Amino acid sequence: MEAVSRRSAGTELTETTNVVRLFMNFTKTMSCGAAVIMAVPPFLWSGAALAQTEIPAEAEAAVPVQLERSGSEEGGDHFSIGVGAAYMPVYQGAEKYRFQPLPAIDIQVGRFFVNFQDGIGANLFDSESVTVGVGLTPADGYRKKDAPPGIGKLSMGLGGRGFVKLRQFGLEATLGGTKILTGSTKGVLVDASLSYPVMISEKLTLNPSIGTTYGDRKHNNRYFGVTSQQSVASGLPQFRAGSGFIDAKADLALRYRLTDRIGVGVVGGVTTLLGDVKDSPIVKRKTQPYGIAFVSYNF
């Protein structure tokens, strides 16, 4: 089957002055953007914020309500909302799982967007084969009651994210980087993924994907490490993690369009920890499956 057709090419920024102007406009909207992030959590981020669990990046990519839109919406402004549920580990490497609500939202007005994967931001360059963007996105932590006794909580934060998406031969490759600015680990994460969406019929789309995440020393040590104080409180040995790859992931998303505006989807996947972090005393399960189901409405 042929891969899902991509959005029609947008107006490309070919002059440096246009890029500068767009950066200035984006900067001016950040204060408004921060307000939107604060207003949206009950709808967009509440599942992650309340549960404070680590949702794999490729699962985040599968959840946005980017189902096949009608011709008038394809490649243009759109407003989609959805709600669902996820069955996920309470943190990466945890033994315990929990169900959590998973609101989803996908808004695009011009080059500005709000979605589950990239947060709130702007596409600085957008064509049929390449998209370059920046945004603000949540940085996950975990709750005190979900961590081993004596470890304590890791506060959820906010990160600045930049990404590049390349589309060719039906494949979509994404490379992104996030600097965590507040809360959580304040480290740096780099994510990479490759997906191949396939339209089985006019209503049914399958999207297999693989991905990996790399963390710097600060992130990995604060998320997976055990300090001397935590060691005394928990009885676990001290542990320091260096920089390196955190995990490898694979999933399969199935999305079905019930009507022109209503769609449903399910995602099943597995992630396995790599490198130093897999040896952390707080890691109980190195390989973890997860599942997501959602329904969406496209305005």
Side-chain angles (χ1 to χ4, degrees):
M1 302 294 294
E2 293 184 357
V4 180
S5 60
R6 298 298 181 184
R7 302 188 306 274
S8 59
T11 302
E12 299 183 358
L13 300 180
T14 58
E15 299 180 2
T16 302
T17 54
N18 288 340
V19 175
V20 173
R21 186 182 305 115
L22 185 55
F23 265 107
M24 292 177 64
N25 290 339
F26 178 72
T27 302
K28 290 178 182 179
T29 60
M30 280 297 95
S31 58
C32 296
V36 172
I37 289 179
M38 297 302 294
V40 168
F43 197 79
L44 173 58
W45 307 123
S46 59
L50 294 177
Q52 297 238 324
T53 60
E54 182 78 11
I55 298 178
E58 83 287 357
E60 293 180 353
V63 173
V65 194
Q66 294 169 349
L67 302 176
E68 310 92 294
R69 302 187 182 94
S70 62
S72 61
E73 293 176 307
E74 192 76 35
D77 296 350
H78 54 264
F79 188 104
S80 301
I81 60 174
V83 64
Y87 184 63
M88 315 287 288
V90 293
Y91 65 86
Q92 280 193 297
E95 186 173 10
K96 295 188 298 183
Y97 276 66
R98 64 175 292 164
F99 284 98
Q100 66 179 77
L102 191 65
I105 187 169
D106 179 21
I107 299 174
Q108 182 158 342
V109 179
R111 294 186 179 274
F112 295 91
F113 60 76
V114 180
N115 62 53
F116 197 76
Q117 182 182 15
D118 298 314
I120 176 170
N123 292 326
L124 305 179
F125 182 92
D126 195 14
S127 72
E128 185 176 5
S129 57
V130 180
T131 299
V132 179
V134 294
L136 294 172
T137 186
D140 290 322
Y142 42 78
R143 301 181 302 179
K144 180 179 180 180
K145 70 176 184 179
D146 292 330
I151 295 299
K153 73 174 183 177
L154 189 67
S155 299
M156 187 175 180
L158 186 68
R161 173 176 167 80
F163 60 87
V164 178
K165 299 182 181 182
L166 305 175
R167 294 173 288 273
Q168 192 70 37
F169 306 115
L171 295 166
E172 177 168 297
T174 300
L175 179 64
T178 301
K179 175 64 175 76
I180 301 173
L181 305 172
T182 64
S184 193
T185 67
K186 296 185 179 177
V188 175
L189 290 171
V190 178
D191 59 273
S193 64
L194 182 67
S195 64
Y196 186 74
V198 179
M199 181 177 287
I200 303 300
S201 69
E202 291 184 356
K203 294 180 177 293
L204 178 63
T205 302
L206 296 180
N207 189 7
S209 69
I210 56 175
T212 188
T213 309
Y214 178 94
D216 71 352
R217 182 183 300 272
K218 179 180 290 186
H219 173 275
N220 292 354
N221 191 51
R222 291 189 178 180
Y223 194 101
F224 296 97
V226 178
T227 66
S228 58
Q229 293 86 349
Q230 290 173 324
S231 177
V232 171
S234 66
L236 297 174
Q238 294 184 44
F239 180 80
R240 293 186 62 83
S243 59
F245 285 97
I246 297 173
D247 53 29
K249 314 160 188 175
D251 74 20
L252 178 64
L254 183 152
R255 294 173 287 184
Y256 186 79
R257 189 176 64 193
L258 296 174
T259 70
D260 286 343
R261 298 196 178 277
I262 300 176
V264 296
V266 294
V267 183
V270 63
T271 180
T272 186
L273 296 177
L274 305 171
D276 289 349
V277 302
K278 73 178 187 299
D279 298 321
S280 168
I282 74 170
V283 170
K284 307 302 181 183
R285 298 181 62 178
K286 296 180 178 65
T287 301
Q288 300 169 302
Y290 55 88
I292 299 169
F294 63 91
V295 60
S296 67
Y297 185 85
N298 301 324
F299 290 89

